[in-house]
Every structure is written in structure tokens, then in C-alpha cells.
Amino acid sequence: MRRLRRTRLAVAALAAGLLTSCASAQNIAGDGASTHSRSGPSTPASPTAPPPGPTTPPASGGNLPAGFGKGPSGSGLDRFYNQQVSWTDCGGGDRCASIWVPLDYAHPNREAITIKAKMQPASDPAHKVGTLFINPGGPGESGIDYLSFINLDDTVTRSYDVVGFDPRGVGQSTPVHCVSNRFLDRYLAADPSPDTPGEVHTMERLWTQFTRGCEAGAGPLLAHVSTIEAARDMDILRAVVKDPTFNYYGASYGTYLGATYAALFPTKVHRMVLDGAVDPEATAHASEINQTKGFQRALTAYLTSCVGSGNCPLGNTVAGAQRRLIQLFSSLDSRPLPTTDGRPLTQGLAFFGVVLPLYSPTLWTYETQALQQALSGSGDLFLLLSDQYANRSPDGTYTSNAIQVQSAVSCLDQPQHESVAQIEAGKAAFLKASPVFGPVAMWFPYGCSNWPVKSPLPKPNYAAPGAPPIVVVGTTRDPATPYEQSVRLAKELDSGVLLSRNGDGHTAYSSGNVCIDQAVDNYLVKGTAPAKGTMC
């Protein structure tokens, strides 16, 4: 029912040491930070606090919902492309702005919504190449927050104004809102692998409440948060910074967004890096199976490392460690673990707690220590990791709407309507993909059943004919966006250039691989694409 978000923002926040204060209380050794040193912000800002800057959308009139307005003066799409945007100082030398985009591109004279953006100006304006737009994935993660974590090389930040933006529906832009914090607590803690009629009924009831909440809370926006519409917004962003062409770095789901832009506006692409690719041509079901295999592959890599350390809490063989983990998940189904927070660690919360550290080997130490705690009867650290995955703060508020946006975007892009009977009939394929995660992942197809709105927009041509070289970066043991997807996207794009990293973790750039970093930096700054098939 709850898909895994494809994102690198939560991982970046965790690896940057945002868990340090909690970690000391949990006796975590080390801060989990990457040892790879890159230029960029030396003290990452917490994503729990919005950056300073404009707090209201551009002036408008009428009785419209919050975040909506009449938009700029003029008519048709020209009024959005020609709007005058004021970039104001928002601290640390950065500049912030609100940009109008049409709610519905088929009716650009009707309601408008706002996209919030934050710019880090180029450090060497005299040699500026243009503007580099960035997106961290999700769908649902904040590009504004990502600006503090992306860790670009100084050759890139000298050459570009770097702009992080919150796509439509996300964060500080006109947001999708579905349910309360309290409901999200119940939703995420619920049984993710229902195996009795009563548990299935509870899942169906929660999903119905969630969808009705989205329909009521998001209003007309709910039908207009597709990736195609978000990609069209990016072309308006390009226009308002007065760039004739588009430069982009997208990670994880951000690759889907970038590939969609290239498909819609191939001749406007200048330089584009798609890191940790989503295959836009794959069916939703195929993507879910592939991702399940990806997390199993990452788990095997972690267990191999854990067992090899000689001090793995799950046992001294990989097969035995996997069986012990399956037993732990099974026991949590009926006997959640206590935590000092007061919320029990359910199987649902433990699932996300186990998954998050698999996004990066720098986080594996958290996995091991959380397992040690859980096997000793405490769910504290897994709960902390689960909360980090869901962007939940200690006071019970969710600092982003990513969980809600994920469903809203995914169900427009790749609608599914599988019944409980169909899901149970397809169980074997998920169990084959992963005996650990399969019992949960098999229910992902239910996550769009009975979604209240549909998108009439046809898929664009992802070959993107006429586009210059687009660099697709894949990591061989990426859990969230398996390597095979990067291989396929590079082939689907007429001008795709595959750059590969042999390693673990989600996405490749700024992960400690100098070969990857140099290839990406050289392409962004000089426009020289790496040789096709380069393996780092």
C-alpha cells in the first residue's frame, strides 16, 4: 500500500549528522557522515525549517484556496513565460522567489499555482554557463532543502546559478494536503503485510480514508500533480531565469522528471544528468518488482558486510542472518517492540527503519546497532530511522508532505487498480524477488486502487529526438532505482550516455567515487560527455 520513495534527500540529511543528538542517546558510534569531501555548504541546514524568503505567493485576487491565485497579467501561456519574477535575499547569499504556473495547462487562463524556488548564485558570474536546476527525487522531496545537501564541486558552483525548487504539490509550493499528522502515524504504523481478512479490511479502510482526505484536502490540485505537468513547470522556470536552454541534475525520481522534460522539450536541453534512473517506459508493476529485487540485492550486500565483520547480531552466515531478519519481521507482526517514545515499533515502522540504511553504506552502522537493540527488546533506533524516512519530527509533526505527494503523483503517472484477489495471486513473484521484503512489497500495487482522479495526458516520446547527449548514471547495487533501469533509460533516449558506478548505495554522484564525480563535473562545466559505457 505504501511504496518506497525514491529519494536521496533523507539519506543526505542522515549522513550529514542530523541524527547526532539522537544518536548519542542511542549510543550510536560515529555520525554516519561520508568521508568524501566536496566543496559546498559546510554546515547543512536542517530540512525541518523552511528557508527565509517570501512567505506569500504573488499578489492575486478572488476567493481561491491557499496557494492558488489568478496568476500574472496577460493571457494564455505567454503570461507565465513572460512574468517578471523578483528574486529577494533570503540569507547566506541565496535568493528566493515565487513563480506562477498554470494549474491546468489545457486552460492557462484559469487558476494558477505557485512554485517556490531558491537560488545559490554562481561564485564566478563572469564565467557563468547558465542556471543548473536540481531535484532530489521522491516524488515529493524538496529541491529547496536539497540545495543545502547536494554538495556540488566548486567548479560547478562557479559556473552555474544553482536553483532548487519544490515541484507543484510539494513543500513550499502550492501543496497537496491529505490527512492529519495523527492519521499519518496510524497509516505508517499499520500492518503492511495483511494476512487475515481482518487485517486486509483494516488496510482497505485506511486507504479509503487516505484517498478521501486527498480528494477533500488537495481539491483541484490533486488532478494536476503529474510528472508531465511538473516538467512543463520547469520550462517556465527556465524562461523566468532567462536561459535559452535547460541545465539539470536529477537524482532518483528526479531522473523521471528530467527525462520527461527532455521528452517534451528535447531541443531545449543543454546539459542534463540523470543519476539513479527510473525507467519511464516500465509498467508500475514491473517497477515494483524491480525495486523489490534492488532492495534484496542491497540487503544481501549489507548482510555480507555484517557477517564479514565477525560481530553481526543476526548470525555468522548470510543465509542465517536473513532467516533471523525474517523471524524478526514476523514477530513484530503480532508483538511490536516497546520504545521510549511510547509508540510501539510495529512491523510497518520497522520495515522503513530497515530500508533506510540500505540507501547508503555510510548508514550500515545504524542498521547493525538498530538490529542489536531490536533483538535485545528495544525498538528505539528503528523507530528513529523510520521517522527519518517519513520526515517525522519528535514533536509528532511531519516536516514535509512527501508521503502524501508520493501517492498523488504516482497514481496519476502510473495508475493501478489491482484487487486484493489479484494481489494475492501475484504473491509468488514478489516473494521470489525478495523473501524479506516481498510480503510487504506485494501490496504496493494496491496503493493506487480506487484513486479518485485520473490524468488524461498521454506519455511523451522518451526517445527525446534532437536532444544533445544526456548522461544517465547508474549504480550496480542501487536499492531504490536498480541499475537495470539506468541501462534501459540510456537506451531509450536517442542521445543517452550510460555512466556506471560499481558499488553500493542509492545514486552515484558525490558518493565517494572520484571517477564518477570528475565525469559529471566535466560534463556540466565543459559539456564533454563521458565515453558511452564508462564503468567507474
Side-chain angles (χ1 to χ4, degrees):
M1 184 170 65
R2 291 148 292 172
R3 299 178 181 184
L4 294 171
R5 286 185 290 127
R6 297 176 283 248
T7 173
R8 61 182 297 185
L9 186 56
V11 178
L14 196 59
L18 295 182
L19 281 179
T20 301
S21 60
C22 298
S24 60
Q26 302 296 338
N27 296 314
I28 299 176
D31 64 0
S34 170
T35 58
H36 182 45
S37 176
R38 307 274 291 165
S39 63
S42 58
T43 307
S46 168
T48 61
T55 56
T56 57
S60 65
N63 297 317
L64 296 167
F68 287 72
K70 291 184 177 179
S73 60
S75 63
L77 286 178
D78 285 348
R79 69 188 185 116
F80 297 98
Y81 275 88
N82 297 329
Q83 66 185 293
Q84 298 301 307
V85 172
S86 176
W87 292 86
T88 60
D89 179 77
C90 51
D94 295 334
R95 297 153 65 194
C96 294
S98 295
I99 298 101
W100 286 114
V101 296
L103 170 66
D104 183 352
Y105 276 89
H107 302 284
N109 290 323
R110 297 181 184 176
E111 299 92 344
I113 56 176
T114 50
I115 302 296
K116 293 296 181 72
K118 186 176 182 180
M119 176 188 292
Q120 176 185 299
S123 61
D124 186 4
H127 296 90
K128 189 175 77 169
V129 173
T131 306
L132 179 67
F133 293 90
I134 58 173
N135 182 276
E141 293 292 354
S142 167
I144 291 174
D145 292 340
Y146 191 40
L147 193 61
S148 298
F149 292 93
I150 188 172
N151 204 19
L152 294 166
D153 188 74
D154 59 4
T155 60
V156 178
T157 56
R158 281 200 304 263
S159 303
Y160 288 97
D161 294 334
V162 183
V163 173
F165 62 98
D166 287 359
R168 56 171 58 211
V170 176
Q172 297 180 54
S173 296
T174 304
V176 165
H177 177 75
C178 297
V179 293
S180 67
N181 292 327
R182 183 173 295 182
F183 180 88
L184 275 178
D185 278 351
R186 290 169 49 214
Y187 179 70
L188 295 174
D191 189 343
S193 59
D195 47 21
T196 69
E199 290 173 347
V200 170
H201 176 72
T202 297
M203 179 199 69
E204 292 176 315
R205 179 171 51 81
L206 284 171
W207 180 243
T208 297
Q209 289 177 291
F210 184 91
T211 57
R212 288 177 178 172
C214 290
E215 196 171 17
L221 179 62
L222 193 63
H224 296 287
V225 289
S226 70
T227 297
I228 290 175
E229 289 161 306
R232 295 194 67 174
D233 294 343
M234 293 199 301
D235 199 52
I236 290 177
L237 296 181
R238 174 201 58 77
V240 300
V241 299
K242 304 189 186 309
D243 277 10
T245 54
F246 188 69
N247 303 292
Y248 180 77
Y249 171 87
S252 199
Y253 161 80
T255 66
Y256 191 176
L257 189 54
T260 302
Y261 180 93
L264 294 170
F265 307 101
T267 60
K268 291 183 180 177
V269 173
H270 185 218
R271 295 170 191 170
M272 178 174 285
V273 178
L274 306 178
D275 186 1
V278 175
D279 178 7
E281 298 283 13
T283 66
H285 192 272
S287 295
E288 288 153 356
I289 290 286
N290 287 337
Q291 192 180 64
T292 305
K293 291 178 180 177
F295 275 99
Q296 178 62 39
R297 186 183 300 156
L299 176 66
T300 300
Y302 161 72
L303 292 177
T304 300
S305 174
C306 184
V307 168
S309 71
N311 191 32
C312 187
L314 292 172
N316 55 15
T317 68
V318 172
Q322 179 167 285
R323 285 194 298 271
R324 190 78 186 277
L325 182 57
I326 292 171
Q327 290 169 0
L328 175 61
F329 272 133
S330 179
S331 68
L332 290 171
D333 195 9
S334 56
R335 295 185 300 278
L337 288 176
T339 69
T340 54
D341 176 272
R343 289 176 295 142
L345 181 75
T346 64
Q347 187 188 71
L349 295 173
F351 176 79
F352 292 116
V354 169
V355 159
L356 178 58
L358 297 180
Y359 277 74
S360 172
T362 62
L363 308 181
W364 286 358
T365 183
Y366 293 130
E367 189 85 85
T368 299
Q369 294 185 46
L371 286 165
Q372 288 171 335
Q373 279 194 1
L375 294 171
S376 298
S378 169
D380 280 347
L381 187 47
F382 270 139
L383 183 63
L384 187 66
L385 292 167
S386 177
D387 285 350
Q388 182 71 24
Y389 185 93
N391 301 307
R392 186 188 189 276
S393 63
D395 66 3
T397 59
Y398 287 79
T399 58
S400 88
N401 65 340
I403 296 292
Q404 299 166 77
V405 174
Q406 181 195 21
S407 293
V409 173
S410 298
C411 294
L412 283 180
D413 287 351
Q414 294 182 314
Q416 290 174 285
H417 302 284
E418 293 196 24
S419 66
V420 170
Q422 288 173 315
I423 288 169
E424 291 176 338
K427 177 179 180 179
F430 282 94
L431 293 182
K432 182 179 179 181
S434 172
V436 177
F437 302 122
V440 175
M442 63 177 280
W443 290 98
F444 291 170
Y446 189 79
C448 288
S449 295
N450 304 313
W451 193 248
V453 292
K454 296 180 181 179
S455 173
L457 302 175
K459 276 192 172 185
N461 179 8
Y462 281 102
I470 295 173
V471 176
V472 181
V473 191
T475 296
T476 56
R477 293 182 294 281
D478 188 316
T481 51
Y483 178 65
E484 295 83 355
Q485 297 183 167
S486 294
V487 174
R488 284 195 291 270
L489 178 58
K491 290 180 179 178
E492 288 161 2
L493 291 163
D494 280 355
S495 60
V497 177
L498 180 64
L499 173 65
S500 303
R501 176 173 75 99
N502 183 16
D504 298 292
H506 183 39
T507 70
Y509 183 69
S510 195
S511 65
N513 188 305
V514 175
C515 169
I516 290 288
D517 293 345
Q518 288 179 343
V520 171
D521 294 339
N522 192 50
Y523 167 72
L524 287 175
V525 175
K526 299 179 181 179
T528 304
K532 287 188 176 183
T534 298
M535 175 67 75
C536 294

